[in-house]
Amino acid sequence: MNTPNLEDMGCGTSSATKDKKSEKALKAALVIQNWYRGYSARLKTRQRYALTIFQSIEYADEQGQLQLSNFFSFMLENYTNVPEKEPGLVTRLFGSSIQDKDRQDYLGLIEIPDSYCGPRLQFPLTFTDIDLLIEAFKQQQILHAYYVLEVLFETKKVLQQMPNFTHTNTSPSKEITICGDLHGKLDDLFLIFYKNGLPSVTNPYVFNGDFVDRGKNSMEILMILFVSFLVYPNDLHLNRGNHEDFMMNMRYGFTKEILHKYKLHGKKILQILEEVYTWLPIGTIIDNEVLVIHGGISESTDLNLLHRIERNKMRSVLMPPIPMDGDRAEKKNKLGTATVALGIRTSGSFSEQLTKQEWEQVIDILWSDPRGKRGCYPNTNRGGGCYFGPDITSKILNKYQLKMLVRSHECKPEGYEICHDGKVITVFSASNYYEEGSNRGAYIRMSSGTTPRFFQYQITKATCFRPLYQRVNAIESSAIRMLKERMISRKTDLIRAFQLQDRNKSGKLSMGQWAFSMENVLGLNLPWRSLSSHLVTTDKDGNIDYMSGFQDVHIQKPVKEVQSSLIETVYRYRSDLQIIFNIIDSDHSGLISMEEFRSMWRLFKSHYSVHIDDSQFDELAERMDLNKDGSIDFNEFLKAFYVVHKFDQLNKSDTKLA
Amino acid sequence: MADDRDRDSTEVAVAEFHKKIKEAFEVFDHESNNTVDVREVGTIIRSLGCCPSEGELHDLIAEVEEEEPTGYIRFEKFLPVMTEVLLERRYRPIPEDILLRAFEVLDPAKRGFLSKDELIKYMTEEGEPFSQEEMEEMLSAAIDPESNSIHYKDYITMMVIDEN
């Protein structure tokens, strides 16, 4: 009479036992589910923490730009104080290499050998050239310098005709696609083109800056974008990002990539590239409604002014306009002489640079970040631009009758993020930006009158997805390593701060005390309590053995006899030093003279208030004159300062210098 | 005297809890305006070492939500509630041995494993069922692709090591 069911079959038991059994199963399931949800949440939190670490460190690095920029200003303003020997140094720092040969001459001198089996472009370019490049780059071929230069020359020519802001319109049948930072990740660009189609008259794109640096295919991305631009100048729109800046490239890897791939003509490529960057438009305005710019806005953003300025005078974020205070005539004379001595091609006037106000307007556009807090504050994280709140967004959008701001500049875990009540969208297109598994990339498709649609993706090297916990482990270890390297580069300062609080000299601090010092000295706003288990050992009372944080890492001493504090200082400032050296080394030989090396260090030292004996540094320099010929190979010099992680299987190729 | 000491140590404990809670909260406060998306509150609570069931979580959220739910939880409301939870040591995590026994209950034949289908059935049909995403996530780490089964003892050991 009872309809047989699964639980009845094969069981000769009474229904009471059956109920008890299923109740047990229910309870067991609950236990497992509860445990799993807790575990999964903790995994996701670890992932978030890792991203927070990466991001904090990235922004702290960018903040270093401000110091460097101030250093350059300081140098330029005080050049008269520089003793006799030094003017050559300053010349090298600030003189742009005189343009010698013009395009025809230069290109005419380059020969493409018959053995070259890379892609050959045909000018005037057509869509077949785009395909050609993509196929070639998929096979890891390198485009010959001749074509690179041709493309750069042509791109500059076409960009010069374009206004500061590109105005474009969409229609229901013609959507536009907006992509964010790519940072040299070629696979992401391929994926976007695969999913979304190649650019064409019916498939327009906006690329919102930061095409280069960090990834290893910045050149290839640039070539594909520029060639596409030349083929479809009215449908492929490029905005300048903060990394389209020759000085940023020196620090973040593109310069190195170029000099490595183009040993013969790299220098020329860098020269032209510098100019091409300055001609990139500041932004794009879609349907008179949507403003697309790389960073953000500030409360004083003046779109009318930005439409008018001579954008090509914005050379670099690290080269603010020379101030003109005091007696104008005298200053002009002094600096007039200087400008000649410095080799800057002016006729004694400041016509070559923007006004301070104009320059700051551009910096705001390229560097600002939206935040939830109302108002507008200096972007202390990055050292440039500002933080702008939802009220600022409303104010500026209303002022110019715009509806939305689309920007990039910040890595987001999901590839995009909407804030300020739907008025600001961040789109970021470099997946796995910090580390494999760190984030997705995204792009937006939109047309007037419809809601924007978001498309996400993530490149993976593995043929099958690794389980989440493995991916999280990977990015977590990577983030912790970076954090430890930071700690070691500030070891002396940290120990001093710890000891100040450790009255009893017990070697221990409370969690609160430790966290306070870490945050203060490192200047990183991180969840220190949660991270402490990865960084230090804690005793059973919850107190922290603060020296344990330095146990399994140390900076390799290139020379034994030199003081740790000097090693630490060089390690800490190695990125800045790299930029400075690169500038001094105007012929990109990789070598600078001992004299220059020493003078640079002295100036650097005084400006950055570094307290290291000159003699210590001299000794280090002597010992590192590896060639013993009076010149320093600074790449070798900087490479010698790397951090050793005690439990590393791999060797020093792990450290990322720039 | 004992009372004073107790009160002091509670104060210290509360102060530390406040900082811990603030840290955990801030990591999910994307707009830096002292609010988090309500959908991430569960993650935050669990990251602080608590293991509420879905039902318990639902109740907690009701406590910290606004009168008229906005989809966001404010820190000012979250802090006191969470501090209580930590002080009272509520929602303690499941010990390893209990977890093992739970798996064994579902494997009465004591084979030492559950088949993929069995696990899916229990996790998505019993208790507080998993969503498809949660199920896929658990399977990706737990399943042995060759036998299409979950050797739960090894799985538990691996997860526990990973967390420590």
Side-chain angles (χ1 to χ4, degrees):
Chain A
M1 262 86 56
N2 279 344
T3 13
N5 61 32
L6 274 167
E7 277 163 334
D8 277 345
M9 291 182 187
C11 300
T13 52
S14 69
S15 56
T17 329
K18 252 182 280 151
D19 280 344
K20 202 165 159 212
K21 262 197 177 159
S22 54
E23 195 189 305
K24 275 183 98 179
L26 167 70
K27 282 206 172 124
L30 277 170
V31 163
I32 298 173
Q33 285 157 346
N34 181 305
W35 165 81
Y36 184 77
R37 288 184 167 120
Y39 169 75
S40 174
R42 285 188 292 279
L43 257 189
K44 299 213 165 84
T45 308
R46 282 163 63 197
Q47 186 176 37
R48 268 253 143 221
Y49 282 170
L51 284 177
T52 306
I53 294 175
F54 284 130
Q55 210 157 47
S56 297
I57 292 183
E58 176 182 19
Y59 295 167
D61 270 348
E62 286 180 349
Q63 190 189 56
Q65 306 294 13
L66 191 64
Q67 250 196 327
L68 195 59
S69 168
N70 289 340
F71 175 59
F72 288 151
S73 304
F74 156 78
M75 291 215 38
L76 196 55
E77 283 174 48
N78 294 291
Y79 86 100
T80 42
N81 297 330
V82 166
E84 232 51 45
K85 292 192 207 146
E86 325 262 50
L89 183 67
V90 183
T91 311
R92 298 253 246 149
L93 263 183
F94 295 103
S96 41
S97 344
I98 310 292
Q99 293 310 359
D100 30 17
K101 308 180 167 62
D102 84 354
R103 170 191 187 153
Q104 287 311 115
D105 287 355
Y106 197 87
L107 279 182
L109 293 174
I110 306 183
E111 273 199 33
I112 307 175
D114 289 333
S115 57
Y116 172 69
C117 50
R120 289 170 189 262
L121 301 174
Q122 292 240 9
F123 284 77
L125 298 169
T126 62
F127 66 87
T128 43
D129 293 290
I130 304 178
D131 280 326
L132 193 68
L133 271 190
I134 291 179
E135 284 317 302
F137 291 153
K138 281 195 173 146
Q139 324 240 345
Q140 274 123 37
Q141 290 172 4
I142 294 188
L143 183 66
H144 196 277
Y146 179 88
Y147 296 116
V148 171
L149 287 165
E150 268 231 83
V151 168
L152 290 177
F153 281 128
E154 271 302 314
T155 304
K156 178 180 154 189
K157 209 168 91 177
V158 178
L159 284 176
Q160 275 171 322
Q161 312 296 324
M162 299 199 145
N164 293 348
F165 284 85
T166 311
H167 287 256
T168 188
N169 292 312
T170 63
S171 66
S173 56
K174 188 174 159 184
E175 277 185 320
I176 194 164
T177 305
I178 307 178
C179 297
D181 297 27
L182 284 168
H183 280 302
K185 312 288 227 79
L186 192 53
D187 286 337
D188 286 281
L189 185 59
F190 286 158
L191 188 58
I192 295 172
F193 283 163
Y194 175 72
K195 276 173 75 116
N196 196 56
L198 290 176
S200 72
V201 172
T202 49
N203 195 18
Y205 275 86
V206 179
F207 283 92
N208 200 15
D210 279 12
F211 322 125
V212 300
D213 274 338
R214 300 189 196 273
K216 56 185 179 64
N217 292 102
S218 299
M219 180 50 93
E220 285 72 40
I221 291 209
L222 213 56
M223 284 298 109
I224 293 177
L225 290 181
F226 284 168
V227 166
S228 306
F229 168 71
L230 290 171
V231 177
Y232 300 110
N234 298 318
D235 300 290
L236 188 117
H237 311 292
L238 299 169
N239 290 342
R240 191 174 184 184
N242 62 307
H243 278 262
E244 273 70 57
D245 177 326
F246 77 107
M247 288 215 176
M248 292 291 279
N249 293 167
M250 282 192 216
R251 184 180 184 148
Y252 290 102
F254 190 25
T255 306
K256 205 163 161 200
E257 182 189 321
I258 293 178
L259 293 176
H260 179 73
K261 285 179 178 162
Y262 297 98
K263 294 184 167 57
L264 206 49
H265 302 287
K267 188 181 145 212
K268 188 68 180 176
I269 293 176
L270 286 170
Q271 240 178 45
I272 311 296
L273 188 56
E274 184 190 325
E275 288 177 50
V276 175
Y277 283 155
T278 64
W279 283 108
L280 285 167
I282 296 171
T284 302
I285 298 179
I286 304 174
D287 297 325
N288 278 324
E289 280 181 347
V290 180
L291 176 62
V292 188
I293 47 179
H294 178 74
I297 51 178
S298 77
E299 62 189 345
S300 50
T301 290
D302 182 345
L303 284 185
N304 294 324
L305 181 145
L306 285 165
H307 267 80
R308 284 197 314 262
I309 63 171
E310 293 176 77
R311 69 181 189 270
N312 64 306
K313 291 181 176 170
M314 173 59 165
R315 282 177 75 203
S316 165
V317 66
L318 291 177
M319 299 181 70
I322 305 166
M324 276 178 61
D325 44 4
D327 182 0
R328 202 182 156 157
E330 186 189 280
K331 198 80 179 191
K332 205 170 161 184
N333 249 349
K334 234 195 200 174
L335 281 156
T337 328
T339 49
V340 167
L342 292 171
I344 296 175
R345 285 165 294 122
T346 57
S347 43
S349 77
F350 290 85
S351 59
E352 287 285 308
Q353 49 178 29
L354 297 171
T355 66
K356 185 161 189 283
Q357 187 202 22
E358 291 169 342
W359 191 81
E360 276 169 7
Q361 288 269 334
V362 178
I363 295 286
D364 285 341
I365 298 287
L366 298 180
W367 285 81
S368 300
D369 293 313
R371 283 293 179 270
K373 199 165 150 194
R374 295 172 66 83
C376 188
Y377 308 89
N379 191 328
T380 45
N381 256 351
R382 299 213 200 232
C386 69
Y387 289 131
F388 61 99
D391 51 330
I392 306 291
T393 300
S394 296
K395 175 175 153 207
I396 302 290
L397 288 181
N398 286 339
K399 188 170 167 194
Y400 299 103
Q401 284 122 37
L402 297 165
K403 293 221 179 100
M404 192 175 3
L405 173 64
V406 175
R407 44 87 64 175
S408 305
H409 197 43
E410 284 182 294
C411 176
K412 298 290 176 192
E414 291 302 311
Y416 74 95
E417 193 172 273
I418 307 177
C419 65
H420 291 190
D421 244 344
K423 298 213 183 89
V424 175
I425 300 179
T426 302
V427 61
F428 193 85
S429 302
S431 68
N432 302 331
Y433 177 57
Y434 293 116
E435 181 63 67
E436 169 121 14
S438 65
N439 65 290
R440 293 164 127 169
Y443 58 87
I444 310 174
R445 281 187 71 94
M446 60 162 72
S447 67
S448 74
T450 62
T451 343
R453 292 183 296 144
F454 300 91
F455 295 83
Q456 299 163 293
Y457 52 86
Q458 194 162 17
I459 299 282
T460 177
K461 289 200 202 100
T463 41
C464 60
F465 257 116
R466 285 190 294 167
L468 183 63
Y469 81 94
Q470 273 182 19
R471 285 181 276 146
V472 171
N473 274 340
I475 64 172
E476 190 179 52
S477 331
S478 188
I480 298 293
R481 276 173 74 96
M482 278 185 77
L483 197 47
K484 283 193 161 163
E485 286 180 14
R486 273 283 137 140
M487 283 168 65
I488 207 80
S489 76
R490 304 297 302 265
K491 183 172 167 182
T492 311
D493 291 336
L494 278 170
I495 293 181
R496 200 177 326 137
F498 292 148
Q499 284 173 342
L500 266 172
Q501 295 189 84
D502 180 17
R503 302 293 164 84
N504 321 334
K505 308 215 183 301
S506 58
K508 301 228 172 136
L509 288 176
S510 73
M511 177 68 82
Q513 289 173 314
W514 178 80
F516 176 77
S517 295
M518 290 294 278
E519 173 131 353
N520 246 5
V521 174
L522 294 180
L524 295 172
N525 180 11
L526 291 175
W528 295 109
R529 286 164 181 77
S530 311
L531 296 173
S532 60
S533 57
H534 295 285
L535 300 171
V536 284
T537 49
T538 318
D539 68 16
K540 53 179 168 51
D541 297 322
N543 291 321
I544 295 189
D545 172 357
Y546 52 82
M547 289 305 285
S548 61
F550 305 110
Q551 247 163 29
D552 30 317
V553 245
H554 66 271
I555 304 177
Q556 186 69 2
K557 273 190 180 178
V559 173
K560 273 211 193 72
E561 296 77 6
V562 177
Q563 259 179 21
S564 297
S565 50
L566 171 57
I567 304 286
E568 235 176 80
T569 307
V570 176
Y571 178 75
R572 191 163 129 207
Y573 288 110
R574 69 198 188 291
S575 301
D576 291 351
L577 289 172
Q578 180 134 48
I579 299 191
I580 296 171
F581 290 150
N582 269 315
I583 296 176
I584 298 175
D585 176 30
S586 55
D587 60 359
H588 298 289
S589 60
L591 301 171
I592 57 176
S593 76
M594 284 294 280
E595 269 316 299
E596 288 170 327
F597 188 66
R598 281 204 186 88
S599 334
M600 177 40 61
W601 176 256
R602 276 199 288 276
L603 286 164
F604 184 88
K605 202 184 97 158
S606 75
H607 185 74
Y608 279 74
S609 304
V610 165
H611 304 293
I612 305 273
D613 250 21
D614 273 348
S615 59
Q616 275 275 308
F617 189 80
D618 283 346
E619 174 144 352
L620 179 63
E622 294 284 345
R623 286 175 190 278
M624 297 220 54
D625 178 8
L626 306 162
N627 307 330
K628 299 278 174 260
D629 61 354
S631 65
I632 301 250
D633 179 334
F634 59 84
N635 283 316
E636 288 305 312
F637 175 78
L638 289 173
K639 256 199 243 168
F641 294 84
Y642 60 92
V643 173
V644 176
H645 293 261
K646 191 160 138 202
F647 302 106
D648 256 2
Q649 256 77 337
L650 316 159
N651 63 18
K652 57 186 150 172
S653 56
D654 254 41
T655 48
K656 300 175 172 73
L657 275 180
Chain B
M1 307 299 119
D3 275 345
D4 280 346
R5 248 181 294 139
D6 279 344
R7 204 175 29 240
D8 280 345
S9 63
T10 314
E11 272 175 28
V12 168
V14 166
E16 265 308 299
F17 280 153
H18 278 182
K19 298 215 182 89
K20 252 190 110 172
I21 296 170
K22 186 160 194 286
E23 259 186 17
F25 193 89
E26 276 178 352
V27 165
F28 291 88
D29 178 11
H30 307 309
E31 292 212 24
S32 307
N33 59 357
N34 291 326
T35 68
V36 298
D37 191 317
V38 65
R39 291 166 294 184
E40 308 208 86
V41 167
T43 310
I44 300 175
I45 294 175
R46 288 173 172 134
S47 78
L48 288 162
C50 303
C51 287
S53 68
E54 289 291 279
E56 288 165 333
L57 183 60
H58 190 79
D59 293 338
L60 269 174
I61 290 180
E63 271 188 71
V64 297
E65 241 175 357
E66 303 295 317
E67 304 259 310
E68 304 230 354
T70 59
Y72 288 98
I73 304 297
R74 288 187 299 126
F75 182 64
E76 297 84 53
K77 289 202 97 169
F78 183 74
L79 182 65
V81 173
M82 198 63 221
T83 310
E84 276 297 301
V85 167
L86 289 181
L87 274 173
E88 293 172 12
R89 298 171 63 79
R90 271 194 259 161
Y91 317 125
R92 298 274 80 210
I94 315 271
E96 196 182 325
D97 54 336
I98 307 275
L99 184 58
L100 182 58
R101 256 190 272 155
F103 274 104
E104 286 172 345
V105 161
L106 301 181
D107 174 28
K110 308 257 175 284
R111 300 159 297 175
F113 65 86
L114 288 175
S115 78
K116 178 176 170 187
D117 290 335
E118 282 171 340
L119 186 66
I120 294 180
K121 172 162 167 277
Y122 284 122
M123 294 295 102
T124 58
E125 290 177 23
E126 300 278 359
E128 291 175 326
F130 274 173
S131 66
Q132 197 191 6
E133 205 186 319
E134 284 174 314
M135 193 69 249
E136 278 170 17
E137 222 178 76
M138 182 180 187
L139 282 173
S140 74
I143 207 163
D144 167 26
E146 281 176 33
S147 58
N148 236 13
S149 63
I150 295 91
H151 294 268
Y152 47 83
K153 199 140 191 259
D154 292 335
Y155 174 58
I156 294 174
T157 314
M158 189 167 63
M159 296 294 111
V160 167
I161 289 178
D162 180 53
E163 287 238 88
N164 300 334

